[in-house]
């Protein structure tokens, strides 16, 4: 019972710190060759958003990315990028569009990851920016834990993407090595048969011609 009572404040603290993160969306999707994928989000004026993206697998690990505001004006555009980040504060209210394009590729599809964060992160303590007095030990511990959790989340995302990218490269390399091994086996088999036939032709006895005349 005492252990449960001790664990309850910690669970509440973790829940509060997790809820204080800015809202957003993470997504990993397949982008076929010669194709384009767009996403739409309605945002209020003066709201901050951040778009982070990275190509996990496919081709040269590059993709085109652009962002348009509700008036159709392009506010961000990058071509053939492996990864990128775009922070922006909205100037008009409406639906914002961000697209990923693989139209320049004719045979390789891509796997793309993006993280779309919306809004500023609220302070974990009330009136924290306007406080004059120093933080208490509990409040300092909350701030430290909150920053540590954010670092852990970012590190987990980074290593998860690195692991997916390395796995894709390893599978591609494994496929190439397998094809090369099969090709070498076939070549060795053909050369061996050729050598056997060549040696056999050297030791084959030639029969004398039957067309000789007797005197």
């Amino acid at each position: 019972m005492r252990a449960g009572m001790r664990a309850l404040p910690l669970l509440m603290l973790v829940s509060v710190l997790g809820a204080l993160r800015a809202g957003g969306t993470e997504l990993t999707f397949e982008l076929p060759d010669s194709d384009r994928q767009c996403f739409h989000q309605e945002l209020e004026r003066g709201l901050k958003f951040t778009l982070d993206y990275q190509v996990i697998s496919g081709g040269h690990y590059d993709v085109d990315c652009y962002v348009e505001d509700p008036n159709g004006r392009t506010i961000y555009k990058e071509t053939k990028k492996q990864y990128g980040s775009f922070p922006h504060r909205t100037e008009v209210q409406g639906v914002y569009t961000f697209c990923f394009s693989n139209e320049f590729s004719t045979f390789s599809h891509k796997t793309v990851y993006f993280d779309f964060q919306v809004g500023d992160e609220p302070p974990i303590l009330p009136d924290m920016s306007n406080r004059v007095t120093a933080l208490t030990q509990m409040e300092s511990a909350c701030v430290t834990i909150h920053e540590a959790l954010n670092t852990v989340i970012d590190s987990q995302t980074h290593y998860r993407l690195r692991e997916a990218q390395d796995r894709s490269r390893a599978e591609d390399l494994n496929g190439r090595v397998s094809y090369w091994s099969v090709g070498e086996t076939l070549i060795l088999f053909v050369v061996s048969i050729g050598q056997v036939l060549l040696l056999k032709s050297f030791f084959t006895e030639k029969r004398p011609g039957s067309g000789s005349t007797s005197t």
Side-chain angles (χ1 to χ4, degrees), residues 57-171:
S57 65
H60 296 287
Y61 299 89
D62 53 354
V63 71
D64 295 343
C65 178
Y66 64 90
V67 181
E68 293 182 351
D69 64 7
N71 297 327
R73 182 173 61 93
T74 302
I75 56 179
Y76 173 80
K77 184 176 182 181
E78 291 288 348
T79 58
K80 296 185 178 181
K81 296 283 290 184
Q82 180 180 355
Y83 58 89
S85 179
F86 175 60
H88 181 73
R89 189 170 295 276
T90 60
E91 299 177 355
V92 294
Q93 179 182 353
V95 177
Y96 285 77
T97 303
F98 56 100
C99 299
F100 300 95
S101 175
N102 193 31
E103 295 174 322
F104 58 87
S105 179
T106 56
F107 59 89
S108 61
H109 73 281
K110 311 290 176 61
T111 302
V112 183
Y113 162 85
F114 75 86
D115 180 14
F116 188 72
Q117 296 291 331
V118 180
D120 295 315
E121 185 175 355
I124 63 174
L125 300 175
D127 300 330
M128 183 175 178
S129 58
N130 300 326
R131 293 190 60 168
V132 180
T133 58
L135 298 178
T136 64
Q137 185 176 1
M138 178 62 70
E139 292 172 341
S140 300
C142 290
V143 174
T144 303
I145 295 174
H146 177 67
E147 294 175 351
L149 286 176
N150 286 338
T151 303
V152 169
I153 293 174
D154 295 338
S155 299
Q156 287 180 337
T157 301
H158 172 72
Y159 288 119
R160 186 171 68 250
L161 293 177
R162 287 291 301 273
E163 188 273 336
Q165 192 175 61
D166 293 341
R167 183 176 66 249
S168 175
R169 291 180 177 177
E171 291 175 353

Side-chain angles (χ1 to χ4, degrees), residues 19-88:
L20 287 174
R21 288 183 58 85
T25 301
E26 292 183 86
L27 181 64
T28 303
F29 64 97
E30 296 285 338
L31 185 61
D33 53 278
S34 304
D35 196 8
R36 179 180 59 182
Q37 186 73 36
C38 294
F39 302 88
H40 311 275
Q41 179 66 43
E42 184 174 0
L43 300 174
E44 301 289 337
R45 181 180 179 181
L47 195 63
K48 179 184 178 182
F49 70 85
T50 303
L51 174 64
D52 298 315
Y53 63 92
Q54 180 175 341
V55 181
I56 299 177
S57 65
H60 296 287
Y61 299 89
D62 53 354
V63 71
D64 295 343
C65 178
Y66 64 90
V67 181
E68 293 182 351
D69 64 7
N71 297 327
R73 182 173 61 93
T74 302
I75 56 179
Y76 173 80
K77 184 176 182 181
E78 291 288 348
T79 58
K80 296 185 178 181
K81 296 283 290 184
Q82 180 180 355
Y83 58 89
S85 179
F86 175 60
H88 181 73

